[in-house]
């Protein structure tokens, strides 16, 4: 027991630097974060979740829903209540979830591998430059992944107490409320339940299997009830609940989506182990290719020998993101199953029966050192940018834009801007965006329909279609700086 505790203390110390590496006071222009924060503010102020100032554009539904599920804003609300709208504290909060994820990941890996192998895998994953950059994003992915892993650990635990079922049921409802793809966990539980029901009929050991069936029914039904309680009763969120992204799917193009996404995620998986490099690029290419090959090999070997809940959940999750018609998320969509990918990676390595003169521990350490060496350029980039302000809302010129809008435009004014949710959060104005390369006539009709009074052109975040519209209409420029121009639409 003491030895196990010491191992967790070691992981605690190893992961502690996360709170000091790549922690910033600024955020990029990806304004999902702004909508999450705005919804968190609404929770603390007792307002509806869709009351953010973001004008939903039905011509561009893929940009963002009117409101996200209430789970992640609910998690953010205590931070806002204590520290206000401060990127630094939100960043530290996301880092805390990554820190907890690392501890849970260690517990998961220790079920299968030695403490040394588990520790090395955590170092390789947590200190990958992509992970260190990604924790800057105030997004739901890392908290969701932490809750997802905790649900998996509790579900696969040998503890059969009723208290575990109650806690797991609550966690499942929270999981669904953070990100709707959490439904894959319930789907895996449902399939597992069907398997138990079948085994109960075949083996006629009803008392054991029926107890498991009742527990799983409680998790499924209770999880949905908790989700409804959070998103429909306590903190109502507009939209279609678990089906808020149904407009994405087009069955006629399903084959195309599958082909594109398969190719994309294969490249993403390799790229995660290939951080940008100069002198060590050859090492990154080799490690990335080998890691991908070992993961695939490990999956095939593990599933062919014994197919269990982990394999089922992995296949369901991968199926969902492969048929989902969006392929620009990078490693984000793979992050929630990172623990399974690392598990399969080692399974693949173990399946290669190569006789070497060095021991397995020495081999594991050598391989980890090689991978970490391939990260060196990523570490340098992180260090060089430690004091820079990320191009986004906190840049001086963009702060000037928000100040001008607050001081010189009517409170009821509505804007067209490439990042409307950031504008709504920082300038307290209603705003919408348009689909890239939309026709000028469609843009005009949309502006009239939504009573837009101003158009903002940003040198970093804008598209040619809205610029063409401004030029065609010969709109009046009323303010500008080196990064932004504000145009007033004619009455």
């Amino acid at each position: 027991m003491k030895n196990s505790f010491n191992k967790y203390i070691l992981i605690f110390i190893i992961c502690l630097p996360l709170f000091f590496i790549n922690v910033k006071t600024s955020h990029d222009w990806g304004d999902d974060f702004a909508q999450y924060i705005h919804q968190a503010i609404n929770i603390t102020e007792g307002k509806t979740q869709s009351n953010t100032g973001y004008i939903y554009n039905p011509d561009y539904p893929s940009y963002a829903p009117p409101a996200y599920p209430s789970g992640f804003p609910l998690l953010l609300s205590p931070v806002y209540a204590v520290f206000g709208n401060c990127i630094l504290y939100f960043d530290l909060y996301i880092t805390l979830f990554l820190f907890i994820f690392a501890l849970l990941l260690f517990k998961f890996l220790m079920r299968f591998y030695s403490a040394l192998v588990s520790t090395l895998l955590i170092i390789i994953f947590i200190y990958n430059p992509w992970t260190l950059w990604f924790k800057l994003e105030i997004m739901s992915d890392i908290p969701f992944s932490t809750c997802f892993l905790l649900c998996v650990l509790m579900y696969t635990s040998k503890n059969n107490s009723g208290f575990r079922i109650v806690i797991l049921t609550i966690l499942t409802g929270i999981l669904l409320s953070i990100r709707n793809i959490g439904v894959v966990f319930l789907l895996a539980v449902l399939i597992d339940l069907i398997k138990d029901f079948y085994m109960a009929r075949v083996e006629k050991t009803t008392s054991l299997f029926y107890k498991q069936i009742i527990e799983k029914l409680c998790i499924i039904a209770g999880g949905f009830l908790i989700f409804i309680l959070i998103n429909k009763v306590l903190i109502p969120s507009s939209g279609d609940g678990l089906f808020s992204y149904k407009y994405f799917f087009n069955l006629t193009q399903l084959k195309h989506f599958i082909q594109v996404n398969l190719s994309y995620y294969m490249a993403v998986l390799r790229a995660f182990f290939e951080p940008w490099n100069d002198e060590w690029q050859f090492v990154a290419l080799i490690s990335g290719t080998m890691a991908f090959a070992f993961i695939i090999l490990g999956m095939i070997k593990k599933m062919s020998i014994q197919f269990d809940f982990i394999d089922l959940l992995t296949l369901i999750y991968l199926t969902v993101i492969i048929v989902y018609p969006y392929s620009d998320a990078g490693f984000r969509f793979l992050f929630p199953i990172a623990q399974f990918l690392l598990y399969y990676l080692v399974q693949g390595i173990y399946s290669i029966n190569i006789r070497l003169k060095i021991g397995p521990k020495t081999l594991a350490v050598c391989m980890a050192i090689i991978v970490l060496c391939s990260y060196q350029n990523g570490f340098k980039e992180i260090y060089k940018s430690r004091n820079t302000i990320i191009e986004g809302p906190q840049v001086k010129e963009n702060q000037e834009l928000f100040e001008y809008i607050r001081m010189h435009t009517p409170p009821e004014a509505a804007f067209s801007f490439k990042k409307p949710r950031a504008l709504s959060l920082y300038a307290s104005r209603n705003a919408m965006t348009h689909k890239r390369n939309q026709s000028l006539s469609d843009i005009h009709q949309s502006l009239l329909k939504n009573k837009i009074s101003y158009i903002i052109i940003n040198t970093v975040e804008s598209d040619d279609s809205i610029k063409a519209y401004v030029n065609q209409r010969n709109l009046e420029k009323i303010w500008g700086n080196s990064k932004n121009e504000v145009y007033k639409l004619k009455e």
Side-chain angles (χ1 to χ4, degrees), residues 77-223:
S77 58
V79 180
Y80 174 78
V82 176
F83 301 105
N85 186 8
C86 179
I87 295 296
L88 173 63
Y89 289 106
F90 284 123
D91 189 8
L92 288 170
Y93 191 52
I94 297 298
T95 302
L96 175 62
F97 275 101
L98 181 61
F99 181 84
I100 296 171
F101 178 82
L103 296 177
L104 294 174
L105 179 58
F106 182 72
K107 182 175 180 60
F108 174 80
L109 292 172
M110 280 284 288
R111 288 183 174 181
F112 313 101
Y113 308 121
S114 68
L116 176 64
V117 170
S118 301
T119 302
L120 292 175
L121 286 172
I122 286 173
I123 293 172
I124 288 171
F125 181 78
I126 296 298
Y127 289 102
N128 183 295
W130 181 91
T131 306
L132 295 176
W133 279 112
F134 185 58
K135 77 183 186 72
L136 287 173
E137 302 285 337
I138 303 169
M139 299 279 281
S140 62
D141 302 85
I142 293 177
F144 173 82
S145 301
T146 304
C147 188
F148 188 69
L149 179 52
L150 184 55
C151 286
V152 171
L153 286 170
M154 293 194 69
Y155 183 79
T156 56
S157 170
K158 295 179 180 179
N159 181 352
N160 295 318
S161 69
F163 179 73
R164 177 184 70 92
I165 300 301
V166 172
I167 297 300
L168 181 55
T169 300
I170 295 172
L171 282 173
T172 301
I174 294 172
L175 182 74
L176 292 173
S177 300
I178 298 174
R179 288 190 65 189
N180 290 163
I181 198 174
V183 75
V184 302
F185 177 75
L186 286 186
L187 184 56
V189 174
L190 176 61
I191 295 174
D192 206 29
L193 181 153
I194 294 171
K195 181 205 75 175
D196 284 348
F197 185 77
Y198 173 77
M199 295 301 294
R201 299 291 298 272
V202 171
E203 299 186 10
K204 300 185 178 179
T205 52
T206 54
S207 59
L208 173 63
F209 283 109
Y210 281 167
K211 181 178 183 294
Q212 295 175 347
I213 289 169
I214 292 171
E215 289 178 347
K216 289 165 187 177
L217 278 173
C218 289
I219 294 169
I220 295 170

Side-chain angles (χ1 to χ4, degrees), residues 33-86:
F33 85 96
Q35 188 168 354
Y36 283 126
I37 292 175
H38 217 142
Q39 289 183 225
I41 293 172
N42 290 344
I43 290 173
T44 62
E45 296 179 353
K47 298 178 181 177
T48 60
Q49 286 292 277
S50 57
N51 186 16
T52 61
Y54 166 54
I55 301 173
Y56 176 76
N57 185 353
D59 296 328
Y60 194 9
S62 60
Y63 183 75
Y68 285 119
S70 303
F72 185 50
L74 181 61
L75 292 177
L76 292 178
S77 58
V79 180
Y80 174 78
V82 176
F83 301 105
N85 186 8
C86 179

Side-chain angles (χ1 to χ4, degrees), residues 389-400:
I389 298 176
I390 300 172
E391 183 61 47
Q394 284 73 39
V395 169
K396 178 176 176 289
E397 290 82 356
N398 299 326
Q399 289 289 303
E400 291 173 356

Side-chain angles (χ1 to χ4, degrees), residues 356-375:
L356 297 173
K357 293 183 179 180
I358 60 175
K361 291 184 178 180
T362 305
L363 177 62
V365 172
C366 290
M367 291 179 67
I369 291 173
I370 291 172
V371 173
L372 290 173
C373 284
S374 72
Y375 292 173

